[in-house]
Amino acid sequence: MGILDRVLKTGEGKRLRALQGLVPEINALEPTYQAMSDDELKHQTVLFRERLEAGEDLDDIMLDAFAVCREAATRVLGQRHFDVQLMGGAALHFGWVAEMKTGEGKTLTSTLPLYLNGLSGKGTHIITVNEYLATFQSEWMGRLFTWLGLSVGLIVPGNRDADHKREQYAADITYGINNEFGFDYLRDNMAMSRERQVQRGFNYAIVDEVDSILIDEARTPLIISGRLEDAAKLYTQFAAVVRALRRDEHYEVDEEKRLVVPTEEGIEKVEQALGVENLYDGVAQNLVHQFQVALRAKELFHRDKDYIVVDGEVKIVDEFTGRVLDGRRWSEGLHQAVEAKEGVPIKEENQTLATITLQNYFRMYDKLAGMTGTAVTEAAELAGTYGLQVVPIPTNKPLIRADEGDLIYKTLDGKLQAVADDVEARYKSGQPVLVGTASVATSELVSRTLDKRGVKHQVLNAKPERQFREADIVAQAGRLNTVTVATNMAGRGVDILLGGNPELLAKQELHNDGLDAEDPEHAELLAKTIAKYEPQCQAEGAKVLELGGLYVLGTERHDSRRIDDQLRGRAGRQGDPGESRFYLSLEDDLMRLFATGAVNWVMGKALPDDVPLEAKMVTKAIERAQQTVEQRNAEIRKNVLKYDEVLNNQRKVIYELRDQILDKTDLRTKIHEKYLPEAVESLVATYCVADFSEEWDLEGLVAAVGEYWPSEVTVDQLAALSTSDDVYEVLVDEAISRYEAREAELGDDTMRQVERQVMLRIIDTAWREHLREMDYLQEGINLRAMGQRDPLTEWQREGFEMFEAMIARIERDLVRYVMHVQVKAPGESDQPQQPAAPAVGMRFQTSDQKAPAAPLPDDEPAVSNMQTSGPADPSSQAGGLSTLARTRAQVEGAPEQVDEAAAASHTPVVKSDWDKTPRNAPCPCGSGKKFKLCHGQA
Ligand code: ADP
């Protein structure tokens, strides 16, 4: 029986015991591999691969591969996997979520399944939360893998070169960050040929901090977008109008549901101000939307909490990490509305070219596993939505951190003073303190209060610190007399060592001396410097232990218990002592909004500001409040997923279609047997509807046919026929012979290539347009919820109809273009060869028309030579579109000329612009230093 079967046989709830059962078996293999020379040990990789090739599967070699990996790690990294890490590694191999507390060594744990699965050569992805960690871990753990004979790649933003990217994906093991994997997927599906694609399938992924990616970021899709026409004026106008409106009179705000609803009076006022008759007119759809985002910007998005304004730019602050999401923008015009509200320049509107949510990206993997310090609270959702089982792995050493009860103050100020008292006392004793805040604003408040007391401290919030700087500071947060104020989880994934981290201290010293610590030239110096710091850190660490370890102080509770647990988890790593406590006030958002009963009860009591309250009732109320919010968020996420499912299925269909064409599917049969006849059928159905042939609109029909191909059929000829079937026959016959004539004229190969290139173009344009229509649809759907219809059903139904219509349009457009396309040999004049079809001038440039053996390069250059100018309005017969969609559909006709260069260089919405800074230019952080010496360090 295979290992997995054995483990699964033990059944639900007994997984842990099953994992434990594997440990002695792996341990038993240890002496064998210990006895081997380095070369012998390395050779095991070759032997494993042979066994796999001979038909064994990964489970068969798992125990041995784990033992080999452990022995190699001991030799190469100086770290031997703990037994609990073997258990975590096995869980990851089985595709589960391993819950391992902070400091338990998830990085090293993941090497076991990575090595094992990497042996298959099918590609194994390990996804971390930030670029710093991905780079760092790929280098560090990479030493182990290369030693064992596996190749390692790295996927981070920056180098977009396709060859480089492909090489990274071709590696046995690829480290990287989630967004970049997702963007590569989207970009691959915009590529004009297979050669330009970089990914190679979705075999196995381990997602680090899986809860944050699958739960917290569930509502953030990745979007690749291009610019739309300037809509800035309208935003400014609305911002001004909305500024003059009054809450409760012109609109009502429901903070809890995050809704702003205008009143009749409000709407009237806006209509007056804009000089329009009816804001809710179908045509004026956009105005309603503009109005809504302006109101939401005004009431629900707060400066220094949800966003900050730096150098005339509105930057989003991540609600969970408190970190600035550089380059990310709110969608659907909200960002522009906030820019207008703040009076900063408004960035042009972006059109979505491609989009996917991270979850849907990760759901494509054949095997998906995750690790995190905190998942149990979300286990049900992970199982329900992703089929991921959470297994809590025991800690290596018992956890002895003391988690104290919450202290609750009446006022915010009372709380702040108490926080400062506590921090000051610890600071004086030397004990390191990590203060966690939920927002930038609070971290600044705390910082100011500490300043007044003369408590030296570091602040880590949304200021544009680069991740490695952040990591640097967090890594040192365990030193004596160190106070670190950080928004939740700043420097995530970085382990706080008591007494300090010698490696980072050494790197800092080199850096201060103007040396590049990563330069192999300085490896020796680095090692020496690390050795110098090691005893110092150890001695300091011993003192910190005596003082009780790291003290974690939370200044408010987050909506989600999991985020609070993450903060607490910073202390008490690997059996260290540690302590944690949360300070709350009745003025905190969570209390104000969700624990109103308890708040009122306390308010009724005469309680001085500076006396904390430790009432069970309040503590319980907070817990309930958190649960309420958690449930509501889970509900929202479920709903988002349901909505997203529609688009996700459509995307799959479109991408599959694209793939077929990239794989050189022959479109001839399809055109012959389906597209052509169907196009004719729809024409006949449109123009020959009446029972009597005398009533048919034959002139209209002939004109419409002329848009599809240069037809010689005349009205008189058709008028002589008695049934619409006859008309259909005549037209199909002509269409087919016309098609075959084109084929003969161009030659088979050229014709096939033309068809494929044209089809790709049409699909891409139609899909983009469809995405936009779906955006509008979703907006309209929300309004319909008021009309007592189920928005989700409406969305599914109309989304489906629109998709069908789009597919029909794609097929018709293909016919139209293929019948008109002209392939031009070099030196020929630009005049269309077919004067009979002046409306459609589509030229196709090929290197040599007469030599199909060296035909069109099936990629970009050929494509960018393709010029199109479609018939006036080919979509006028599209039919079947919803009302909402129709207004949009008119805009789009034949594929417009796509500027491929622009499309390739469009900025993904999530992206740090800093990467583009030249190394010798001043650093964008404003430090005055050169970029390479400041935030641009390797
Ligand atoms: P996590 O991500 O689980 O919080 P890390 O992967 O950052 O933990 O590891 C925490 C620290 O423990 C790192 O400094 C790492 O080098 C160290 N570590 C992990 N496993 C071992 C081990 N088996 N032996 C020695 N040190 C280890």
Side-chain angles (χ1 to χ4, degrees):
M1 197 186 331
I3 289 224
L4 181 59
D5 292 330
R6 243 169 62 196
V7 168
L8 286 181
K9 203 173 70 100
T10 57
E12 191 86 22
K14 295 208 184 119
R15 293 201 165 82
L16 192 61
R17 191 115 36 92
L19 292 175
Q20 259 155 352
L22 301 173
V23 172
E25 296 184 51
I26 302 170
N27 283 340
L29 294 166
E30 193 162 18
T32 316
Y33 294 113
Q34 263 171 346
M36 287 186 179
S37 70
D38 281 1
D39 283 341
E40 279 174 306
L41 191 61
K42 289 181 190 182
H43 188 62
Q44 299 308 306
T45 298
V46 180
L47 298 181
F48 288 142
R49 285 190 157 147
E50 282 170 7
R51 284 173 63 182
L52 289 176
E53 245 161 65
E56 289 189 61
D57 63 24
L58 291 176
D59 289 344
D60 298 330
I61 59 172
M62 175 183 152
L63 298 176
D64 282 289
F66 274 31
V68 164
C69 183
R70 179 197 242 183
E71 179 56 25
T74 313
R75 294 186 196 185
V76 180
L77 307 174
Q79 295 187 346
R80 176 181 170 275
H81 293 84
F82 303 131
D83 287 354
V84 288
Q85 291 176 324
L86 299 178
M87 291 164 59
L92 294 175
H93 169 63
F94 295 141
W96 300 338
V97 170
E99 192 196 63
M100 296 176 74
K101 302 263 173 277
T102 314
E104 286 298 302
K106 289 186 273 294
T107 315
L108 188 66
T109 301
S110 63
T111 57
L112 299 164
L114 287 174
Y115 173 64
L116 171 62
N117 287 268
L119 290 166
S120 75
K122 290 185 196 151
T124 296
H125 298 168
I126 165 100
I127 287 117
T128 52
V129 285
N130 67 46
E131 200 175 330
Y132 167 79
L133 283 176
T135 313
F136 174 68
Q137 295 180 354
S138 74
E139 282 164 10
W140 194 22
M141 299 297 134
R143 298 210 310 257
L144 167 65
F145 298 126
T146 9
W147 194 87
L148 281 167
L150 265 58
S151 54
V152 179
L154 175 66
I155 291 292
V156 288
N159 195 342
R160 282 271 188 82
D161 179 64
D163 289 335
H164 168 80
K165 274 260 160 92
R166 211 170 300 117
E167 199 181 312
Q168 307 305 307
Y169 280 112
D172 296 314
I173 296 163
T174 306
Y175 280 80
I177 61 169
N178 47 42
N179 292 350
E180 199 59 16
F181 280 100
F183 280 134
D184 280 341
Y185 171 69
L186 292 178
R187 283 191 285 257
D188 271 2
N189 280 293
M190 293 165 78
M192 294 306 285
S193 70
R194 279 278 184 221
E195 290 72 44
R196 303 184 65 83
Q197 298 186 325
V198 298
Q199 293 190 328
R200 55 155 181 153
F202 308 96
N203 175 48
Y204 173 43
I206 301 177
V207 180
D208 194 6
E209 309 248 5
V210 65
D211 51 337
S212 111
I213 288 171
L214 295 186
I215 309 261
D216 299 338
E217 305 214 6
R219 279 134 79 188
T220 335
L222 299 176
I223 297 171
I224 290 187
S225 59
R227 292 273 141 81
L228 265 197
E229 68 279 6
D230 192 334
K233 253 188 23 219
L234 208 51
Y235 286 107
T236 317
Q237 228 175 342
F238 266 99
V241 173
V242 161
R243 204 167 292 140
L245 299 186
R246 281 183 299 274
R247 188 171 172 156
D248 295 333
E249 182 182 341
H250 297 120
Y251 56 87
E252 279 157 15
V253 183
D254 186 338
E255 266 185 77
E256 195 182 315
K257 296 210 185 77
R258 301 202 51 81
L259 270 182
V260 185
V261 187
T263 62
E264 277 305 314
E265 276 160 50
I267 293 170
E268 256 168 49
K269 200 138 191 252
V270 175
E271 285 166 353
Q272 272 169 20
L274 295 176
V276 298
E277 208 150 277
N278 185 0
L279 205 57
Y280 282 87
D281 262 353
V283 212
Q285 189 86 34
N286 227 2
L287 291 184
V288 175
H289 174 69
Q290 292 263 351
F291 183 30
Q292 280 180 340
V293 289
L295 280 176
R296 297 184 64 211
K298 179 181 176 190
E299 288 294 336
L300 300 178
F301 290 79
H302 305 292
R303 186 169 173 161
D304 286 339
K305 179 162 180 281
D306 304 294
Y307 64 91
I308 54 171
V309 179
V310 206
D311 303 333
E313 270 190 69
V314 170
K315 297 190 170 191
I316 305 180
V317 173
D318 184 303
E319 121 182 59
F320 295 99
T321 62
R323 189 186 288 145
V324 157
L325 300 175
D326 249 321
R328 204 183 289 200
R329 293 173 63 80
W330 285 302
S331 58
E332 292 165 15
L334 182 62
H335 212 97
Q336 289 87 337
V338 174
E339 284 167 338
K341 163 183 148 190
E342 292 292 342
V344 301
I346 296 169
K347 295 251 178 74
E348 281 169 285
E349 194 148 14
N350 284 320
Q351 187 195 334
T352 303
L353 303 179
T355 173
I356 190 169
T357 57
L358 283 174
Q359 304 88 312
N360 278 326
Y361 173 76
F362 286 118
R363 291 202 308 184
M364 292 190 300
Y365 281 86
D366 294 338
K367 184 162 84 179
L368 182 64
M371 36 188 201
T372 168
T374 42
V376 170
T377 47
E378 249 75 37
E381 189 168 342
L382 287 170
T385 311
Y386 304 98
L388 283 171
Q389 305 299 330
V390 178
V391 189
I393 307 291
T395 53
N396 184 40
K397 294 190 184 147
L399 180 72
I400 57 166
R401 185 185 63 228
D403 295 330
E404 314 286 356
D406 297 348
L407 292 180
I408 302 148
Y409 291 80
K410 199 161 175 180
T411 64
L412 183 63
D413 194 56
K415 172 176 89 171
L416 275 176
Q417 294 311 325
V419 165
D421 286 344
D422 193 0
V423 175
E424 190 180 354
R426 311 250 178 185
Y427 172 68
K428 286 192 172 143
S429 80
Q431 185 179 18
V433 184
L434 176 69
V435 183
T437 70
S439 70
V440 185
T442 322
S443 75
E444 279 176 357
L445 260 179
V446 172
S447 169
R448 256 175 280 148
T449 322
L450 291 178
D451 274 339
K452 279 196 206 127
R453 310 262 186 127
V455 176
K456 271 214 322 227
H457 60 277
Q458 294 267 17
V459 185
L460 276 182
N461 58 25
K463 301 249 174 59
E465 294 276 3
R466 278 280 280 236
Q467 285 145 359
F468 74 93
R469 277 277 301 146
E470 200 176 277
D472 248 16
I473 292 174
V474 172
Q476 308 308 350
R479 302 193 61 185
L480 282 174
N481 297 95
T482 306
V483 176
T484 312
V485 181
T487 41
N488 284 329
M489 295 165 33
R492 260 189 323 187
V494 182
D495 193 30
I496 301 178
L497 298 185
L498 301 185
N501 181 324
E503 185 163 343
L504 287 176
L505 282 175
K507 281 188 178 164
Q508 217 157 29
E509 182 176 315
L510 260 64
H511 173 56
N512 291 342
D513 294 342
L515 300 175
D516 180 359
E518 309 297 337
D519 191 337
E521 208 180 292
H522 302 133
E524 205 177 314
L525 177 63
L526 182 66
K528 250 176 39 200
T529 321
I530 295 177
K532 179 185 85 183
Y533 278 110
E534 262 165 2
Q536 182 186 319
C537 289
Q538 229 157 43
E540 200 173 320
K543 283 198 197 126
V544 174
L545 284 181
E546 269 170 39
L547 289 166
L550 179 69
Y551 176 51
V552 169
L553 186 157
T555 60
E556 57 214 294
R557 277 200 177 264
H558 198 275
D559 288 357
S560 146
R561 283 171 296 168
R562 189 166 42 82
I563 309 283
D564 290 344
D565 289 347
Q566 275 165 2
L567 181 62
R568 282 198 207 275
R570 292 294 198 166
R573 63 175 286 287
Q574 287 288 339
D576 285 346
E579 192 182 341
S580 76
R581 188 192 280 286
F582 281 85
Y583 278 77
L584 316 178
S585 93
L586 300 183
E587 292 174 345
D588 295 354
D589 282 352
L590 186 70
M591 305 283 280
R592 235 172 15 90
L593 296 175
F594 297 100
T596 38
V599 170
N600 290 338
W601 178 76
V602 179
M603 283 304 192
K605 302 198 166 293
L607 188 72
D609 282 2
D610 57 351
V611 174
L613 176 93
E614 276 184 286
K616 275 247 164 59
M617 173 172 172
V618 180
T619 315
K620 279 256 150 20
I622 294 165
E623 236 168 63
R624 269 199 310 275
Q626 282 184 315
Q627 273 167 17
T628 311
V629 184
E630 279 168 18
Q631 275 161 12
R632 197 195 56 186
N633 285 342
E635 209 42 52
I636 294 177
R637 283 191 296 268
K638 223 161 98 193
N639 213 27
V640 166
L641 267 183
K642 277 191 212 146
Y643 273 89
D644 200 44
E645 203 53 34
V646 173
L647 209 55
N648 196 41
N649 290 334
Q650 296 180 349
R651 178 177 41 241
K652 279 193 204 148
V653 174
I654 285 291
Y655 284 1
E656 214 176 286
L657 194 61
R658 263 192 127 260
D659 276 347
Q660 286 169 4
I661 294 162
L662 290 180
D663 287 336
K664 315 235 176 335
T665 299
D666 192 335
L667 287 169
R668 185 179 195 277
T669 323
K670 275 267 168 72
I671 293 177
H672 236 259
E673 289 171 9
K674 183 163 189 284
Y675 302 164
L676 268 179
E678 280 181 6
V680 173
E681 202 179 295
S682 100
L683 287 177
V684 174
T686 309
Y687 292 96
C688 307
V689 267
D691 289 340
F692 305 105
S693 55
E694 299 78 43
E695 289 170 28
W696 292 342
D697 176 8
L698 292 178
E699 308 222 334
L701 178 60
V702 168
V705 168
E707 279 182 12
Y708 278 91
W709 67 87
S711 171
E712 279 159 14
V713 174
T714 61
V715 173
D716 291 345
Q717 206 179 330
L718 295 177
L721 303 169
S722 48
T723 69
S724 55
D725 275 355
D726 296 340
V727 176
Y728 170 82
E729 291 294 334
V730 168
L731 290 177
V732 168
D733 281 352
E734 191 192 34
I736 298 224
S737 62
R738 175 76 209 144
Y739 176 71
E740 282 168 353
R742 301 225 15 93
E743 208 168 30
E745 182 190 329
L746 295 180
D748 266 1
D749 280 1
T750 312
M751 186 76 171
R752 296 292 90 80
Q753 286 184 36
V754 167
E755 282 165 1
R756 277 198 297 270
Q757 297 259 334
V758 168
M759 185 66 162
L760 277 182
R761 272 309 152 90
I762 293 173
I763 291 176
D764 288 351
T765 316
W767 175 241
R768 229 181 301 158
E769 187 55 29
H770 179 72
L771 286 177
R772 178 155 44 169
E773 285 169 8
M774 292 292 277
D775 262 0
Y776 278 85
L777 176 65
Q778 190 162 14
E779 239 167 63
I781 289 282
N782 293 333
L783 291 178
R784 262 181 255 188
M786 297 170 188
Q788 271 152 19
R789 276 181 285 179
D790 174 25
L792 182 62
T793 322
E794 296 272 304
W795 162 255
Q796 285 163 336
R797 191 178 52 77
E798 291 214 20
F800 178 73
E801 276 173 18
M802 279 163 61
F803 188 73
E804 295 257 282
M806 174 188 69
I807 295 286
R809 210 160 60 231
I810 288 176
E811 294 173 359
R812 274 198 296 268
D813 281 352
L814 176 66
V815 170
R816 203 187 308 268
Y817 278 100
V818 165
M819 294 294 225
H820 282 107
V821 74
Q822 291 179 35
V823 178
K824 192 170 69 107
E828 272 181 39
S829 89
D830 272 4
Q831 288 302 310
Q833 285 179 340
Q834 303 285 338
V840 182
M842 187 185 213
R843 285 165 291 133
F844 220 108
Q845 190 119 26
T846 122
S847 50
D848 186 354
Q849 188 198 351
K850 304 237 162 55
L856 298 164
D858 205 0
D859 66 16
E860 218 168 41
V863 170
S864 53
N865 279 341
M866 187 172 96
Q867 298 174 7
T868 69
S869 63
D873 180 16
S875 66
S876 51
Q877 298 135 17
L881 286 186
S882 71
T883 329
L884 263 170
R886 200 169 300 134
T887 48
R888 308 295 316 166
Q890 306 299 336
V891 181
E892 191 61 45
E896 84 259 28
Q897 173 144 9
V898 182
D899 181 350
E900 185 66 29
S905 68
H906 45 241
T907 338
V909 174
V910 183
K911 154 143 199 17
S912 161
D913 276 334
W914 287 25
D915 297 328
K916 288 190 227 113
T917 313
R919 298 197 30 83
N920 281 312
C923 186
C925 77
S927 64
K929 282 190 259 180
K930 284 184 177 173
F931 181 62
K932 67 176 178 193
L933 294 176
C934 191
H935 287 92
Q937 297 173 96

